[in-house]
Amino acid sequence: GAGVSQSPSNKVTEKGKDVELRCDPISGHTALYWYRQSLGQGLEFLIYFQGNSAPDKSGLPSDRFSAERTGGSVSTLTIQRTQQEDSAVYLCASTPLARLATDTQYFGPGTRLTVL
Amino acid sequence: GDSVTQMEGPVTLSEEAFLTINCTYTATGYPSLFWYVQYPGEGLQLLLKATKADDKGSNKGFEATYRKETTSFHLEKGSVQVSDSAVYFCALHDNSGGSNYKLTFGKGTLLTVNP
């Protein structure tokens, strides 16, 4: 596709349920990132993929969060046993390579997660 | 660790006013610097960037100069328009070994431009 796409655009769930958020990066982009945008915290890095491997998961806030990427393309961020503090906009970004500090990251529109 | 500090908003200006949004950073390596913008209801998009000292990034009338001596990357526009109303994020991408893959963002500055 022309840009990074994410689904769903909005997700409302009950506390304790599991959710899956999907990201489709720009075709050919090998690097993929997940960020979280929440009130008071700004934009926080969660995890980075280079191809299908995740060399850095240091931003994941707890072991309830996990992510995978298959075929070097689509990525899924899973949050288990959601809590109200997980409510945020989850953003995905991709870039052709992650080797250069000059690379521009291209962001998707985000998934707004609301945990009731 | 790396960090970005930007001017807290909200900032409210009248159309055609001069805009400055301050941004300073700390980084272990030699970072690239970015301004991203988020228009209402839209995703985050790159506004401009600069990759080395004294570089000036510019786009849509906005400018920012990479000042290594003051570790700053202030965003300026000479004459804002109502359509510039958005949230602006300063960010850095540090290329010191092991961290050349994520953006570190400031907390964002909400700009509202009134007609």
Side-chain angles (χ1 to χ4, degrees):
Chain A
V4 178
S5 60
Q6 293 185 246
S7 60
S9 55
N10 278 285
K11 176 73 177 178
V12 180
T13 190
E14 293 179 349
K15 179 180 170 181
K17 301 281 190 186
D18 297 351
V19 295
E20 283 190 354
L21 312 180
R22 177 189 166 107
C23 172
D24 242 304
I26 293 172
S27 178
H29 281 195
T30 61
L32 185 148
Y33 311 78
W34 284 97
Y35 295 86
R36 179 169 71 173
Q37 185 177 19
S38 52
L39 285 175
Q41 298 296 322
L43 273 151
E44 307 169 276
F45 166 79
L46 297 179
I47 188 170
Y48 149 72
F49 286 92
Q50 180 64 263
N52 289 337
S53 65
D56 186 359
K57 306 177 184 180
S58 64
L60 294 177
S62 76
D63 59 8
R64 295 185 296 104
F65 288 71
S66 63
E68 64 176 17
R69 189 178 185 197
T70 55
S73 181
V74 172
S75 176
T76 302
L77 177 69
T78 300
I79 309 173
Q80 295 178 308
R81 305 181 303 282
T82 51
Q83 304 294 311
Q84 288 180 333
E85 62 262 27
D86 299 334
S87 296
V89 177
Y90 289 82
L91 295 171
C92 177
S94 70
T95 192
L97 293 169
R99 307 290 183 208
L100 299 174
T102 56
D103 283 351
T104 296
Q105 293 186 17
Y106 298 88
F107 283 81
T111 294
R112 181 175 296 278
L113 175 66
T114 304
V115 182
L116 301 177
Chain B
D2 299 339
S3 68
V4 175
T5 302
Q6 66 180 99
M7 149 181 188
E8 299 230 353
V11 174
T12 303
L13 296 173
S14 297
E15 208 164 22
E16 299 183 3
F18 184 84
L19 168 71
T20 299
I21 301 178
N22 290 336
C23 172
T24 57
Y25 67 90
T26 58
T28 51
Y30 196 138
S32 292
L33 302 174
F34 304 81
W35 277 100
Y36 278 83
V37 59
Q38 190 171 35
Y39 297 104
E42 298 185 17
L44 208 59
Q45 53 187 278
L46 179 69
L47 179 60
L48 53 85
K49 69 179 184 182
T51 59
K52 61 183 188 296
D54 300 324
D55 267 4
K56 179 185 284 187
S58 61
N59 186 26
K60 299 182 180 179
F62 290 89
E63 293 183 340
T65 301
Y66 190 142
R67 300 287 187 203
K68 196 165 188 292
E69 64 276 14
T70 54
T71 62
S72 65
F73 193 54
H74 305 321
L75 182 68
E76 296 183 336
K77 186 173 186 181
S79 177
V80 293
Q81 305 300 311
V82 172
S83 57
D84 294 326
S85 299
V87 181
Y88 292 82
F89 292 90
C90 185
L92 69 81
H93 192 208
D94 196 343
N95 64 354
S96 61
S99 63
N100 60 341
Y101 43 74
K102 67 180 182 185
L103 285 166
T104 299
F105 286 90
K107 293 202 181 290
T109 302
L110 173 63
L111 170 67
T112 301
V113 180
N114 294 319

